[in-house]
Amino acid sequence: MNLFKRFQSEIVAVVEGLVAEHLLPPGLDTGRITAEPPRDPSHGDISTNAALVLAKGAKTKPRELAEMLAGRLGKHGGVISAEVAGAGFINLRLDDGFWRDRLIDVLVSGTAYGDSDIGKDAGKVNVEYVSTNPTGPLHIGHGRGAVFGDVLASLLEKAGFDVTREYYINDAGKGGQIEALARSVYHRYREALGEDPGEMAEGLYPGDYLIPVGQAIAERDGKKWLSKPEAEWMEHCANVGSDAMMALIRDDLEALSIHFAEEEFISERELHRRGKVDKAFNWLEQKGLIYTGVLEPPKGKIPDDYEEGREQPLFRTTDFGDDVDRPLKRANGNWTYFAADIAYHRDKFDRGFTTMIDVWGADHGGYVKRMKAAVEAITEGKGELDVKICQLVNLSDGGKPVKMSKRAGDFVTLREVVDRVGKDVVRFIMLTRRNDAPLDFDLEKVTEQSRDNPVFYVQYAHARAHSIFRHAHREFPGIDISPHNLAKGPLERLTRDDEIALIKLLTTWPRQVESAAETHEPHRIAFFLLELAAAFHGLWNKGNDDASLRFLVPGDEALTAARLALVRGVQLVIASGLGVLGVEPVEELR
RNA sequence: GCGCCCUUAGCUCAGUUGGAUAGAGCAGCGGCCUUCUAAGCCGCAGGUCGGAGGUUCGAAUCCUCCAGGGCGCGCCA
C-alpha cells in the first residue's frame, strides 16, 4: 500500500473514532476523502480534503471540522504538525526520521519498490495490441501501439493485475487484404520463375519483402502453380504469405523486446473455423439484438460498388450507444470484420477476462463506439472494454520529415528505426507523449547526448549513480554499497532539505504506478522518471558549487554512507521504472 | 453533414483522475563555471488554461453551446 493511501485510511479511522465518540454524526461518506502530496511543498507533506468533503454531512463548517480532525491527526506517529489552511484543508508535516525510514523501505524492496496489489481482486485483464494484418513489415506507427501495449501490460502487472497479452491476427478477410497479399505473392512467384507479370496491380503490396516469399514457393513447387487458375493457388499463396509475414512481424517485435507466446496469437481464421462467429451471432439473435433492416447510405465518400437499399441482418448497437446499427454479414454472405471482432471479444470474456484493453491506431478511432457497444451487449454489461487510441508518429531525421507513403521503398520500417537508434530509445520515446496526442520522433535528436533527449537524461542518471559507487570504492576501499547494508547505515546524517525532498519524491513512486495503472496511462512512468532524474542531477550539481555537498565526502565515511544510501535509492527507483518501460538501466554510457 | 480526439507560456508538452498562488524543457534576458569521467549550472521574466455559459465550498479537469486543428465516416481490415 502506498504511503498516501495509508494516511487516507488513518484519516478515515480518525473520523470513525469521532463518530464513535458521538462528536460527529453517523453515516458520513468517507469515500471522497483524499490524502495527496500538495502541489506546493510549502503546504506540507500530505494534504487532506476530509473536512471539506465531510462538512456538509456533519452539519459543521469546514474549518471547524478541520480543527477537530487536525487535533487528532497531529498526535499520530511521524506527524510533527497538522495545520488547517485555505477553505479547510489539513496539511500534515512528517518528521525527517519518518522519511529516512521510507528510504530504508526503498533499499529493502529494491526494484520491487512500487509493486502494488491494487489489481489483486480486479479479475483478469486482457491487453490486446499490435494486431496488424500479416501483409507486411511493421511501420513506426505500429511500433507506438506495440510499445504502448507492452508497457501498459507490464505496468498493470506491477500494480498487481492478472494480465494476459494478446495479438489478434486479421488473417481471414476473404476479398480483403489477405487476398491482395496472395496475389502479390503470386506476382513475385511468377517473377521468380523468370516470367514478366508487368507492373503490380493497384491495391497489391509491391514491397521487396515479398520477393523471397515468391522465390521460396518457386524453389519448392517449381512451375506447379503457373498454369493453375487463381482459385487453386489463392489459398496456398495466402497461407505461405501470411506465415512469412507473421514471422517477419514477430522478428520486428522481438527486436523491440516485445514477445508474444504461441497461445497469445489469436487467429481470426481460427475463430471462424471453430464456429465462434456463428455462435456469437446466434447468441445476439436469441437475445433479440438482431433484426432485418436497411442501412442509410454512408455519409462520406460513396464506394463504387455501393448497393442501394439491401435488406440484411443488423445488430442493434444503437441500444448501447452507437450511432447506427451495424451489419454483420456482407453482400457476398461472408461475415464482416466487425462480426469476427465481436466473436473475438466474446471469446475473451468467455475465457474470464472481465477487463479488456484494446490498443488501436489513430485510423480506427471511428470504430470505438461500436466495439464498446458490442462488448456491453455480448457480456451483458459484465465485461469492460477500454480502447486506447495511439495517434500518429511524425518521423523526421535532423528536422527533415521522413516520408511515410504506402508505396514500397518509400517507407521507413519500424525495424530500420530500431536498428538505427536502438530498442531502448524507441521504447522510451514512444512514451514521452500521451497516447492520444501525435508524437514527433526525430531519428537524430533521440540519440543526442543532451538535456533535450529524455532517454539519455534518464539513462544518465542511472549511470551517474553507478559512477558514484565506483568512486566510492576508490575513496573508501572496502565500503559496502549493497542496498541491504546501506539501509543499516547512519541515515540520520541525511539532514538537508534537498536530501529529504529527494526521498519524498522517491516515495511517490508507488503512487505513480497505481495511478498510471488505473488510468491506463503508461506515459506517466516516463514523465516521473524524467522528474526524478532532474532532481537527482540537480542535487549532483550542487556539489559543483560546494564540495561539501558532494555525495562522496572524503574523511567522513558515515556521511558518505548515508548519502550513498540516497543515491542507491534513486538508482533503484529509476531501475524499477525503466523495468516497467522495458528499457535497460545501463551502468555506463558510451 | 455526422462521430471521436485535441486546443495550457513565443515553441514542444506535463498537470496526481474536482483541490490551495496552473508546472517543466527549449527559446529570451542576466549571472556563474570546467567536475564525485559524462547532460554545463543558477536565477529572472513569461498565462484570460481556445471562447461563452452551467454544476459546487472549489473547475485546466465534469456538463452544454460555439470556434479552430487532427483522424475517421463501405457490407475494408
Side-chain angles (χ1 to χ4, degrees):
Chain A
M1 184 181 289
N2 81 53
L3 173 62
F4 300 91
K5 277 195 178 167
R6 211 170 79 201
F7 269 89
Q8 186 203 15
S9 50
E10 283 183 28
I11 292 161
V12 170
V14 165
V15 171
E16 284 166 353
L18 289 168
V19 171
E21 292 172 43
H22 305 294
L23 291 168
L24 286 175
L28 292 173
D29 175 19
T30 54
R32 287 171 60 215
I33 295 177
T34 59
E36 310 180 303
R39 255 191 206 134
D40 184 345
S42 72
H43 289 144
D45 298 317
I46 295 177
S47 171
T48 178
N49 63 356
L52 291 165
V53 180
L54 300 176
K56 196 174 270 184
K59 299 203 170 82
T60 53
K61 289 177 186 166
R63 288 197 61 107
E64 236 166 72
L65 178 53
E67 292 292 352
M68 181 158 60
L69 291 172
R72 300 288 173 110
L73 289 168
K75 290 174 192 154
H76 271 61
V79 176
I80 45 175
S81 76
E83 288 167 9
V84 178
F89 287 97
I90 303 166
N91 294 327
L92 305 179
R93 268 167 235 277
L94 305 172
D95 64 36
D96 289 354
F98 176 88
W99 294 112
R100 292 184 199 112
D101 288 347
R102 300 292 77 73
L103 177 57
I104 294 173
D105 293 344
V106 176
L107 295 169
V108 169
S109 303
T111 53
Y113 190 69
D115 287 6
S116 167
D117 61 359
I118 55 165
K120 197 178 52 178
D121 302 316
K124 289 166 69 180
V125 181
N126 183 292
V127 185
E128 178 208 329
Y129 53 106
V130 199
S131 296
T132 56
N133 308 320
T135 56
L138 301 177
H139 59 65
I140 192 77
H142 296 132
R144 184 174 187 185
V147 170
F148 180 92
D150 199 49
V151 174
L152 176 56
S154 306
L155 172 62
L156 290 169
E157 282 168 348
K158 193 168 180 71
F161 289 87
D162 178 2
V163 183
T164 297
R165 296 152 204 251
E166 246 165 54
Y167 181 126
Y168 180 53
I169 312 173
N170 298 141
D171 53 1
K174 267 184 193 158
Q177 282 143 356
I178 292 297
E179 288 194 0
L181 174 72
R183 293 199 181 94
S184 311
V185 168
Y186 191 69
H187 185 102
R188 294 302 188 192
Y189 163 72
R190 290 178 64 191
E191 280 179 352
L193 291 172
E195 295 220 337
D196 180 15
E199 278 285 299
M200 210 176 260
E202 189 69 24
L204 298 193
Y205 301 99
D208 290 347
Y209 52 87
L210 289 176
I211 293 176
V213 181
Q215 279 171 350
I217 297 176
E219 275 164 35
R220 203 171 53 207
D221 298 344
K223 297 187 174 177
K224 177 178 167 187
W225 306 101
L226 220 43
S227 54
K228 299 272 173 66
E230 182 177 289
E232 290 190 35
W233 53 254
M234 175 63 78
E235 193 183 346
H236 182 68
C237 287
N239 287 342
V240 174
S242 67
D243 284 353
M245 291 307 99
M246 276 316 294
L248 186 68
I249 289 167
R250 285 186 192 211
D251 221 45
D252 288 354
L253 291 173
E254 294 287 347
L256 260 181
S257 294
I258 293 174
H259 181 77
F260 290 94
E262 207 51 52
E263 68 276 11
E264 291 167 347
F265 286 99
I266 305 296
S267 155
E268 183 186 356
R269 215 182 331 178
E270 198 60 27
L271 286 176
H272 285 283
R273 192 174 302 159
R274 289 202 254 142
K276 301 241 179 190
V277 185
D278 300 83
K279 199 179 135 198
F281 181 83
N282 292 339
W283 189 90
L284 287 172
E285 198 165 41
Q286 190 212 320
K287 290 281 171 188
L289 294 172
I290 306 286
Y291 69 101
T292 304
V294 176
L295 273 185
E296 297 273 310
K299 297 290 187 203
K301 201 177 66 180
I302 304 293
D304 303 338
D305 57 349
Y306 178 70
E307 199 184 321
E308 190 84 37
R310 191 171 70 83
E311 279 217 330
Q312 57 180 329
L314 298 173
F315 173 17
R316 295 185 193 277
T317 50
T318 48
D319 287 3
F320 306 91
D322 199 5
D323 303 316
V324 290
D325 290 331
R326 303 291 175 178
L328 299 180
K329 272 185 179 174
R330 297 191 294 193
N332 64 8
N334 289 330
W335 293 112
T336 59
Y337 174 77
F338 184 45
D341 223 357
I342 293 170
Y344 176 38
H345 285 79
R346 172 57 187 255
D347 183 56
K348 288 186 196 177
F349 183 69
D350 288 343
R351 284 185 281 135
F353 297 108
T354 46
T355 303
M356 305 168 221
I357 304 173
D358 290 3
V359 181
W360 295 348
D363 52 341
H364 287 62
Y367 200 76
V368 176
K369 268 194 184 182
R370 82 188 68 168
M371 200 64 240
K372 290 186 112 163
V375 167
E376 193 184 335
I378 203 127
T379 67
E380 300 187 290
K382 286 177 277 193
E384 199 189 332
L385 172 67
D386 186 17
V387 181
K388 304 299 282 189
I389 297 289
C390 287
Q391 285 299 329
L392 304 177
V393 177
N394 300 314
L395 200 60
S396 59
D397 193 354
K400 284 174 297 198
V402 174
K403 281 191 183 168
M404 293 296 290
S405 83
K406 283 178 184 168
R407 288 218 1 238
D410 204 13
F411 100 64
V412 178
T413 62
L414 173 61
R415 186 53 180 271
E416 287 171 290
V417 174
V418 174
D419 287 348
R420 170 153 164 200
V421 305
K423 67 109 179 161
D424 284 343
V425 168
V426 174
R427 292 187 68 110
F428 196 100
I429 293 291
M430 289 300 184
L431 293 162
T432 53
R433 203 106 306 172
R434 272 173 30 215
N435 62 289
D436 47 13
L439 172 74
D440 294 323
F441 192 125
D442 191 294
L443 292 165
E444 200 174 288
K445 271 192 193 154
V446 299
T447 48
E448 273 174 15
Q449 298 207 343
S450 80
R451 175 74 177 85
D452 300 346
N453 179 3
V455 198
F456 172 75
Y457 197 61
V458 172
Q459 291 275 41
Y460 179 32
H462 188 271
R464 174 171 264 173
H466 203 81
S467 151
I468 293 167
F469 293 127
R470 278 197 298 268
H471 273 81
H473 277 304
R474 224 170 293 162
E475 191 70 39
F476 300 99
I479 191 170
D480 184 346
I481 55 164
S482 68
H484 186 72
N485 187 67
L486 290 173
K488 292 185 294 193
L491 299 187
E492 67 280 359
R493 297 294 304 274
L494 295 175
T495 53
R496 295 178 48 85
D497 285 350
D498 46 16
E499 292 166 339
I500 299 296
L502 191 50
I503 297 175
K504 290 176 182 175
L505 185 55
L506 294 178
T507 64
T508 65
W509 170 233
R511 196 165 173 273
Q512 296 284 348
V513 170
E514 290 178 358
S515 67
E518 275 171 347
T519 54
H520 302 165
E521 291 185 351
H523 74 276
R524 293 183 185 213
I525 302 303
F527 280 96
F528 171 77
L529 290 178
L530 276 167
E531 189 185 350
L532 178 55
F536 178 60
H537 290 311
L539 197 54
W540 191 93
N541 282 320
K542 289 188 181 173
N544 280 338
D545 299 333
D546 181 348
S548 74
L549 300 183
R550 295 184 178 183
F551 297 116
L552 302 179
V553 190
D556 192 342
E557 186 162 344
L559 181 57
T560 298
R563 289 183 175 170
L564 287 180
L566 179 57
V567 173
R568 185 61 96 185
V570 170
Q571 189 185 36
L572 287 169
V573 170
I574 289 179
S576 175
L578 289 176
V580 173
L581 301 185
V583 172
E584 210 66 43
V586 296
E587 299 187 341
E588 219 168 349
L589 293 167
R590 283 155 290 139

